[in-house]
């Protein structure tokens, strides 16, 4: 089963910290549900780039963490 993080309803100020903890403390593959929010998608991408984590846009509103 793939672990998922749903960012719906989360404060923008908390997103990067929560995503960082999620991707660093869990084994890929992982799915992060961003919904339609450009802010959420960009925040996830920033965390991934900062930690050299491979990801791909999965379905609209989802980012899959590969490794």
């Amino acid at each position: 089963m793939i672990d998922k993080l749903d960012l719906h309803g989360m404060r923008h100020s908390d997103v990067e910290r929560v995503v960082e903890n999620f991707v660093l403390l869990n084994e890929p593959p992982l799915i992060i549900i961003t919904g339609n929010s450009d802010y959420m998608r960009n925040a996830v991408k920033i965390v991934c780039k900062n930690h050299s984590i491979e990801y791909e846009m999965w379905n609209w509103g989802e980012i899959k963490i590969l490794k």
Side-chain angles (χ1 to χ4, degrees):
M1 185 167 158
I2 295 177
D3 288 330
K4 294 183 182 182
L5 173 64
D6 189 343
L7 300 179
H8 285 105
M10 190 170 297
R11 291 183 177 164
H12 287 178
S13 61
D14 296 334
V15 171
E16 287 187 34
R17 177 185 49 80
V18 170
V19 168
E20 186 173 54
N21 286 338
F22 180 69
V23 298
L24 295 177
L25 297 175
N26 294 286
E27 289 293 320
L30 305 168
I31 293 183
I32 300 175
I33 301 167
T34 62
N36 294 325
S37 172
D38 288 332
Y39 180 88
M40 299 293 192
R41 278 192 296 276
N42 289 331
V44 172
K45 290 176 187 179
I46 287 169
V47 169
C48 289
K49 288 178 183 178
N50 287 343
H51 293 281
S52 300
I53 295 170
E54 288 184 38
Y55 68 92
E56 66 181 27
M57 298 303 291
W58 194 245
N59 295 319
W60 182 254
E62 291 185 357
I63 294 176
K64 187 171 185 180
I65 306 301
L66 304 173
K67 51 179 166 168

